Amino acid sequence: GCRDANAVAEKICRGSIGILPTSTIYGISCVYNNEELLKRVYEIKQRPAHMPFITLIPDQEWIEKIACEINMIALALAQKYWVPESCQPLTLVLNKADCKQNMQIQKENAPDGANRQTIALRVDPLPVLTEILKLTGPLISTSATISGTDIAPKTIAEVPAAIREKVDFAFDFGKPLAGFASTIVDVTGNAPVLLREGSLKYCDILSYLAAKGFSVPQHT
């Protein structure tokens, strides 16, 4: 509950890297804009430096603060799939809010994934996670697994020991999570592009957009 959220948020704000539950699987999380911490997460996961992380945001209002050039398709999807009562596991890839200045200054020692002009955002409906995010602001989240392995940890016990030993803390939700990844859709262009399909089916996303009057690609 609330006490847990406060304790976890305090650790994260002090620069800790932890294992946190989401509505889908356990993920490794830390503040989203600290390069040293991001580097550590890449090392813990043994993740290739060009692969970016998902950023969890407390609610859809944050989309305006953290992304730019947000088109009508992106807003329509956020309004449909990121509402608290019926939130679905959807990650939207958008242009970063500071993408203009970033073009000139590539950060020298940041992992390539952190140098991208895009950011992958998700609102997660797990109440305790929302509580934490309201206190910390955006956090990165990446599956609590070694990169390239096919585990979707539903419990802390399913998180590989190699990861549990290297993070600063693990927050146990207490009951198994759903155990599937979110669907990732790139909405930086005029048409949505599917990057990964999770439990939320891409054909349902396209039907929703078509019903809203958007012209969308045919999904076979």
Side-chain angles (χ1 to χ4, degrees):
C2 240
R3 219 179 57 241
D4 294 333
N6 284 330
V8 169
E10 218 167 280
K11 286 179 185 167
I12 286 172
C13 292
R14 284 203 305 261
S16 292
I17 293 173
I19 296 171
L20 293 186
T22 70
S23 64
T24 55
I25 58 175
Y26 276 95
I28 303 172
S29 284
C30 66
V31 292
Y32 81 111
N33 52 2
N34 178 316
E35 272 150 36
E36 289 311 307
L37 294 179
L38 292 180
K39 259 174 132 156
R40 255 187 76 197
V41 177
Y42 275 102
E43 282 158 18
I44 290 169
K45 260 186 83 84
Q46 300 166 33
R47 185 173 174 86
H50 66 277
M51 292 171 73
F53 298 131
I54 287 173
T55 299
L56 297 172
I57 50 176
D59 54 54
Q60 64 185 53
E61 270 64 81
W62 269 88
I63 200 171
E64 306 282 348
K65 305 180 194 175
I66 208 170
C68 67
E69 296 161 4
I70 305 151
N71 59 32
M72 295 311 288
I73 286 182
L75 288 174
L77 292 178
Q79 276 152 12
K80 160 80 172 157
Y81 294 108
W82 288 356
V83 281
E85 299 71 51
S86 57
C87 196
Q88 300 259 8
L90 174 67
T91 296
L92 295 176
V93 175
L94 292 143
N95 288 307
K96 267 186 196 164
D98 53 0
C99 51
K100 296 287 177 295
Q101 307 107 288
N102 267 2
M103 296 306 262
Q104 285 75 38
I105 31 174
Q106 282 287 331
K107 307 211 176 67
E108 285 311 298
N109 55 1
D112 306 346
N115 262 331
R116 291 201 164 204
Q117 309 311 321
T118 56
I119 189 162
L121 299 181
R122 182 156 102 79
V123 172
D124 189 281
L126 195 72
V128 69
L129 183 60
T130 309
E131 288 300 313
I132 292 167
L133 288 163
K134 279 182 184 152
L135 297 165
T136 58
L139 299 179
I140 60 126
S141 180
T142 176
S143 60
T145 55
I146 301 293
S147 215
T149 57
D150 209 16
I151 315 168
K154 298 189 285 293
T155 62
I156 290 279
E158 287 176 15
V159 175
I163 291 205
R164 290 203 306 260
E165 286 155 13
K166 289 188 182 127
V167 295
D168 302 317
F169 72 93
F171 174 50
D172 194 337
F173 182 59
K175 44 183 186 274
L177 308 170
F180 44 76
S182 64
T183 297
I184 304 179
V185 179
D186 185 326
V187 284
T188 54
N190 298 330
V193 177
L194 178 69
L195 301 183
R196 174 179 83 191
E197 190 165 58
S199 60
L200 175 62
K201 294 294 161 242
Y202 189 52
C203 57
D204 295 342
I205 293 173
L206 292 182
S207 322
Y208 169 72
L209 288 172
K212 279 288 201 194
F214 291 104
S215 57
V216 291
Q218 288 301 305
H219 184 52
T220 46

